[in-house]
Every structure is written in C-alpha cells, then in structure tokens.
Amino acid sequence: MSAKPLLAPRPSHLPRLQLGWPLSPTPIAGSLLYPDLDRSIRDQIKVILLTQPGEMLLQPSFGAGLEVMLHQPNTLGSRRRIRDLVQKSVDRWERRIMLDAVDVWEIEGRPDAVRVELAYRIKRTGTAHQFHFDFALGS
C-alpha cells in the first residue's frame, strides 16, 4: 500500500508567499496577528543586524556581527566596516529585497554613535523603502 501525501503539491502558477511566523507573537483576542510583507521584511532586517554569527541554531553564520564594532573609534574606516558587514549580511539573509544602498553616517553631537541607512526595493512589488537605525560604538 503506498502512502498518500498529507498535502497536495502547490500549483506552480500560484505565487509563493514569503511571510513567516511573527517574530514577537502577542495574542490579541485569542489569535496571533501576522505581519504584512513590509513589516515582515523590516523585522527580519532587525533580526539580521542584531544577531551575532553563532547565535542561531542550525545557521551558525547567520547575522551581521556588528558587535565586533563596539568600542571602535568613530572613524571612516569603522563606518566603512559597518557598511560592509550590513551589506553582506542583508544581501545574504534577506532574499525578498534588492539592496540599493547602505550608508553609515556620523550623528551630529554624538561622537560615539553612527546612523546606518538602508535603501531597498521589495522584489515582489518593486516598491522602494528605507530603514535606518542608530548604532553606538562606545568610544
């Protein structure tokens, strides 16, 4: 007797949804709210940037590794290294977007911090988005 699959195979003409489990599930009225595509991508970028390689089980190379930049001076070389780490990790781990630019700027009045700005387009829709965060270097 041959075993039948539990689920029928997905028809090839249907678009494949690339949304995952909510990263911070909070039940509201007994159900979980799933993020839309834009929110899912922003959340995943945050996870990539805040994760150190070796932290994620079964994916030891996942993450940007920005922690290595803590206590580095706010120099052009440090900002370039941060840009390279962000660009490499987001390109590798967030396949739903096309990264257009990554810029790292000094923050006026805060010599111990930098602002990282990402410009990207969602592959499925072609819409452009920007994402930025401040990163404290500590020295």
Side-chain angles (χ1 to χ4, degrees):
M1 183 183 279
S2 65
K4 286 187 169 183
L6 294 176
L7 298 173
R10 181 181 200 67
S12 61
H13 66 280
L14 292 178
R16 184 177 185 104
L17 294 178
Q18 297 180 358
L19 299 179
W21 186 257
L23 292 176
S24 56
T26 306
I28 298 175
S31 64
L32 292 176
L33 297 176
Y34 290 88
D36 62 358
L37 182 61
D38 298 343
R39 178 62 182 215
S40 175
I41 289 171
R42 280 193 310 273
D43 288 348
Q44 182 65 13
I45 290 172
K46 287 179 192 176
V47 170
I48 292 167
L49 298 177
L50 296 175
T51 302
Q52 291 301 111
E55 279 187 283
M56 185 170 284
L57 293 175
L58 304 177
Q59 291 291 348
S61 61
F62 181 87
L66 290 179
E67 193 172 285
V68 300
M69 297 306 297
L70 290 176
H71 307 297
Q72 297 296 316
N74 189 351
T75 63
L76 181 60
S78 295
R79 292 190 298 273
R80 187 173 294 140
R81 175 101 167 106
I82 291 168
R83 183 200 64 203
D84 292 345
L85 286 169
V86 169
Q87 188 168 359
K88 179 182 172 187
S89 59
V90 172
D91 273 342
R92 179 173 182 195
W93 296 109
E94 184 47 82
R95 301 301 222 159
R96 298 174 291 178
I97 66 171
M98 294 176 288
L99 200 55
D100 293 326
V102 176
D103 294 310
V104 182
W105 306 99
E106 293 179 275
I107 299 175
E108 189 173 331
R110 289 190 60 199
D112 64 334
V114 295
R115 170 158 290 158
V116 179
E117 297 177 351
L118 289 85
Y120 62 90
R121 285 174 286 137
I122 297 175
K123 289 180 181 178
R124 185 188 304 170
T125 63
T127 56
H129 293 273
Q130 290 187 344
F131 176 83
H132 75 273
F133 70 99
D134 295 344
F135 181 70
L137 296 172
S139 83

